[in-house]
Amino acid sequence: MAKILFVMTGSDHWTLADGTRHPTGFWAEEAVAPHEVFTAAGHEIVVATPGGVVPTVDRASLAPEANGGREGADTMAKRLESIDELRRPVKLEDVDPAGYAAVFYPGGHGPMEDLAVNADSAAVLTRTLESGRPLGVVCHAPAALLATVGADGGSPFAGYRLTGFSNAEERQAGLADRAKWLLQDRLVAMGAEYAEAEPWSPNVVADRNLYTGQNPASSGPLAAELVKALG
């Protein structure tokens, strides 16, 4: 059994371009599906958030339209409720990533608010990348990579092939025109080689020890790739 660190947003909102707060948090499937994959493989999960706050689920991720109907939504809610680790997170600022076999970042719009500018998260990302241990980041969570950009404009993730929530998906979700910035644009500006697939289709990209997924449907397959990497 290995210990896997889940780094999760502590924000319950995303500030839009006009200053309004869009209610959000983490996306249920992006925590639930990987948690099930990792625990089924015998691994232990530790959740960390900024300040150790209990992470907020984006209520939209529990809606019928996000889960193939009411039955799917009810099932997702039950699966989420079963994850005890979400109720007792550790403080991200106290985390030593060397104590974990892998690090995983679930998405949701929340990381666009806090992890995108969080220095403690940036340190975890950079140290994990340098260590060679598997690092998984899905959907909007690659926003956290933006916090690794230094004063010189460089990032250790520049030159990596990766993916994340696409501009097309953000447009179809209805928030692109209201956002301060779009994730795909920022990742490209950071120097990453962005790899886009059809909206909402599973897309997992691996480059060295960095594993990324484009959207919620990619979260389970992404976790499966990390399990393979852990051997």
Side-chain angles (χ1 to χ4, degrees), residues 45-191:
I45 306 299
V46 175
V47 172
T49 63
V53 302
V54 174
T56 298
V57 65
D58 188 323
R59 303 307 302 180
S61 69
L62 297 176
E65 51 268 34
N67 293 282
R70 170 49 60 190
E71 183 177 351
D74 291 344
T75 299
M76 181 63 71
K78 290 177 182 177
R79 292 161 70 192
L80 181 65
E81 182 64 25
S82 72
I83 304 179
D84 291 334
E85 296 94 335
L86 291 172
R87 290 184 280 276
R88 43 183 172 83
V90 301
K91 293 181 178 179
L92 178 58
E93 49 269 33
D94 295 339
V95 164
D96 179 0
Y100 298 88
V103 175
F104 184 80
Y105 277 66
H109 280 110
M112 303 275 280
E113 184 74 19
D114 61 351
L115 299 183
V117 293
N118 187 288
D120 297 308
S121 171
V124 169
L125 288 166
T126 300
R127 291 176 60 189
T128 305
L129 190 72
E130 292 172 346
S131 75
R133 291 187 296 274
L135 172 60
V137 195
V138 69
C139 201
H140 285 94
L145 306 185
L146 303 177
T148 68
V149 176
D152 62 353
S155 165
F157 291 91
Y160 274 77
R161 188 169 182 269
L162 53 77
T163 191
F165 205 65
S166 68
N167 289 354
E169 287 167 325
E170 202 72 84
R171 283 192 294 270
Q172 290 180 22
L175 287 168
D177 291 340
R178 301 173 63 195
K180 290 181 180 179
W181 47 271
L182 298 179
L183 179 58
Q184 179 179 340
D185 292 344
R186 284 290 181 92
L187 292 173
V188 171
M190 184 184 73

Side-chain angles (χ1 to χ4, degrees), residues 204-223:
V204 175
V205 176
D207 187 349
R208 288 156 277 186
N209 62 316
L210 176 65
Y211 297 78
T212 52
Q214 182 172 320
N215 45 37
S218 307
S219 54
L222 173 59

